[in-house]
Amino acid sequence: MRLPEVMSQTGLSRSSIYLRISKGIFPSSISLGDRAVGWLEADVNRWLDERIADSKGAHNG
């Protein structure tokens, strides 16, 4: 997935995504070439699933 798609999927801004990557709480991008990066869709979906699980756990506990 390219950055615009990741932003759309997660609802996060570019700066929020890179801040979370630097803190180790968002999947790192992978190099697609000289000046292009992307994310594995499975990694982004796993991250979203974890956020959903965390949210449900917080409301149930």
Side-chain angles (χ1 to χ4, degrees):
M1 301 170 72
R2 298 300 299 272
L3 182 59
E5 190 176 356
V6 174
M7 291 168 57
S8 174
Q9 189 96 354
T10 62
L12 297 173
S13 67
R14 178 187 189 280
S15 58
S16 293
I17 290 169
Y18 282 104
L19 177 64
R20 284 167 172 77
I21 291 170
S22 72
K23 290 182 175 183
I25 56 175
F26 193 82
S28 295
S29 58
I30 56 173
S31 176
L32 301 175
D34 289 344
R35 294 177 51 192
V37 297
W39 285 260
L40 294 175
E41 187 171 3
D43 288 348
V44 174
N45 287 337
R46 187 177 313 111
W47 182 86
L48 285 168
D49 289 344
E50 290 169 0
R51 301 293 76 71
I52 292 167
D54 289 348
S55 175
K56 287 182 178 179
H59 294 298
N60 293 333

